[in-house]
Amino acid sequence: MILIQVNNYTSLVTFPVDNSQKPIKLKHKRSYRTIVNYFIVLSVLLLFLFIKSYYKQYIYRHRKILGVQITHTTSTLDRWLRWEWRLFNCTLSLSSVLKIGFLFLMNMMVIFINGSQNIVHVSTVGDEPVSTMDIKSKEIANRHAQLSVVNMALAVCLSTKLSFIQKMFIDISDTLQWHKWLSVVAIGEMLYHATYQIHYNYLKKHSLYLAFFSSNRYTTGTWMMIAMLCLVFGSHPVIRTLSYRLFHISHLMSFFVLVGMGFLHHWTLYIFYIMVVLFWLVDQFDRSYLTKVHQLQQLPGDIIKLEVLIPYTPPTFVPGQFVFISFSSSWFLSLFNAHPFSICKVEQVTKNDTEDEDNRMSLDEASPSLPSSELYAYTFYIRARGKQTKKIYEYTQNEKCRLRISKPLGRKYLNNKAEYGDFKTIIMIADGTGITPWISVLDYLQNKEHLVKTKHVHLIWCIHSLDTYIAFEEELKMFCRSIKMDMEIDVYVTGTTDDEMISHLPSQIKFSFFKPNFSQLLSSLQEQYGDDSALSICAHEGTVVECNNIGLKYSWIIKKERFCF
């Protein structure tokens, strides 16, 4: 409605024709120069970003092989660019604002700078006279549509999780941010084009129904507009919080409608969306493997410890990685039900470890191509909140359930120039089950203790009740016994507590029953450990933003875990 009013009030749709003069007969000539130019510009920019990212990784690997000491510094400009703030439930930084602004500016330049070369004179008798301004406005609306096609195609490509883009060049958290903003730009451009066409057709037909459904092109365009609006509302944080499954279903169904109607709407969508759909389908097949539960255990705090057999040759595990899990054996249903979970550990299992014949059979079925000496299992800690995870909580009495998992996602680099073992000190901050990815870091440090530079590990863990600590108690105590580094674990209990006292605590674990003051806490750690530190955060968004800004002040390398799927 807003864009309809903009079209109306700025006279981009209808302009008065001076009937006192002899009308000039004009015709709009279709041109696809806009879509070609924009595609070339985007391709060049993406190629530059890929080369830049790959070059940083190459320099890092080369220095590490040669044994050159790697130093980590953060410039004043970099600190300003990465400083974050919250606005309307959205986290922004100066860097992201500049990137988004550049994207909008580039789209506007492509739309308005190309001129009006697509207006031609015609002399055929009976042609309806049209003003020059009418044709210019039609050309602008068509350019919006062409840019929308390219932006939406690229957004779909960046929504994939296991493509070569995420594996070799850009971290998945960055590609998903660009997926979001490219989709916003594409939907805005599509709505501008749609409101122009609907308003223009309404002035000719004088019927609201015919304005939407008077021809095949208008009908398919209307359905594409509805699908994009469903994408917008289905992606709202409220929907994602209330029902992740509804978000996933609305996203996929809207995507299928958009592609199907797009093929019927205009031939240009064939060129982009056929390649994009194939790219997307390959990703979907690569992230859905049938497997079985190896072990399931109920823990306090409605937490489940889930061990899942790995149904493929295990890749080299990187701390902080995650997989998509669908608690269904159906590949089709896994498209709608898959949910990301952080990998806690990767442990080797053998058929001799099982207690009965049924479990041994499950090992054979889950990994038929792997010998028993090469069977591995992922370990997850899941809080039973949503409907799907609550179902898993009920499966505790039945360890024969089937599910589907993807290959691991996430890259080993903290910022394309460093890994966890490159720092003397690693500081980790977690809320609740957000400790899971940092357990994988502790496991990595334990296995690589004599090969890494790290000497100090400090974990800051905020929990609401002691039940959450009890669920992870054995893991933490095991690390306290086995890791020879200087390790400290500060547990902050922020909710109501029982009189139950936790006994036999290792000296490395300390409890506090109040909310931490991160400013004072991280300041003391800076004085204690210095600048050669990495800060990893997996917590509520407000905590992530606060700790990110404090870490920038101390020039720390920062790793943030944000699940925006």
Side-chain angles (χ1 to χ4, degrees), residues 312-559:
Y312 42 76
T313 302
T316 303
F317 175 66
V318 176
Q321 285 186 315
F322 60 96
V323 299
F324 278 85
I325 301 179
S326 172
F327 303 116
S328 170
S329 60
S330 168
W331 175 85
F332 179 75
L333 292 178
S334 69
L335 294 176
F336 303 95
N337 297 334
H339 199 286
F341 292 100
S342 295
I343 301 172
C344 181
K345 283 183 177 181
V346 178
E347 296 180 312
Q348 187 171 7
V349 297
T350 63
K351 297 175 183 179
N352 294 330
D353 291 338
T354 59
E355 297 178 356
D356 52 45
E357 186 66 23
D358 289 337
N359 281 335
R360 286 195 291 272
M361 289 177 62
S362 71
L363 285 167
D364 291 328
E365 294 171 4
S367 303
S369 62
L370 298 178
S372 60
S373 59
E374 297 181 4
L375 293 176
Y376 292 84
Y378 289 134
T379 299
F380 304 93
Y381 285 89
I382 303 172
R383 189 183 295 277
R385 284 181 175 171
K387 292 182 179 179
Q388 294 299 313
T389 49
K390 284 182 178 178
K391 288 181 180 179
I392 289 298
Y393 196 74
E394 298 170 357
Y395 290 166
T396 304
Q397 304 301 323
N398 178 15
E399 298 180 359
K400 300 177 184 179
C401 58
R402 290 174 176 266
L403 45 79
R404 285 186 171 270
I405 65 171
S406 70
K407 287 186 176 180
L409 295 91
R411 303 170 72 238
K412 64 180 180 179
Y413 301 104
L414 274 71
N415 62 349
N416 284 336
K417 298 183 294 185
E419 299 176 10
Y420 281 104
D422 296 332
F423 302 88
K424 288 184 177 178
T425 303
I426 297 178
I427 302 170
M428 296 174 287
I429 299 175
D431 280 348
T433 52
I435 193 176
T436 304
W438 308 148
I439 289 180
S440 68
V441 174
L442 294 175
D443 187 57
Y444 165 81
L445 295 175
Q446 176 187 351
N447 296 329
K448 305 285 186 180
E449 191 165 2
H450 301 292
L451 302 175
V452 297
K453 180 182 176 182
T454 306
K455 303 298 180 185
H456 311 284
V457 180
H458 200 111
L459 172 62
I460 303 169
W461 187 24
C462 300
I463 57 177
H464 185 73
S465 66
L466 291 175
D467 287 343
T468 307
Y469 168 78
I470 296 172
F472 292 91
E473 183 177 17
E474 292 302 320
E475 295 279 5
L476 297 178
K477 287 184 176 180
M478 185 272 293
F479 286 123
C480 291
R481 292 191 301 267
S482 58
I483 294 181
K484 306 304 179 185
M485 302 173 184
D486 176 24
M487 185 171 73
E488 293 185 38
I489 301 175
D490 292 334
V491 183
Y492 290 85
V493 184
T494 60
T496 57
T497 59
D498 300 328
D499 294 332
E500 176 186 2
M501 299 298 295
I502 299 179
S503 58
H504 308 293
L505 283 176
S507 59
Q508 297 97 322
I509 302 178
K510 299 177 182 177
F511 272 83
S512 301
F513 296 90
F514 53 84
K515 293 182 179 180
N517 185 322
F518 287 107
S519 180
Q520 295 180 0
L521 188 57
L522 296 182
S523 176
S524 64
L525 294 179
Q526 159 68 11
E527 296 176 359
Q528 181 178 354
Y529 299 125
D531 295 334
D532 191 8
S533 302
L535 176 63
S536 300
I537 315 165
C538 185
H540 293 97
E541 190 62 24
T543 301
V544 173
V545 171
E546 179 184 2
C547 295
N548 171 77
N549 295 340
I550 297 172
L552 287 175
K553 183 170 66 174
Y554 300 133
S555 297
W556 292 343
I557 300 298
I558 302 170
K559 173 72 172 179

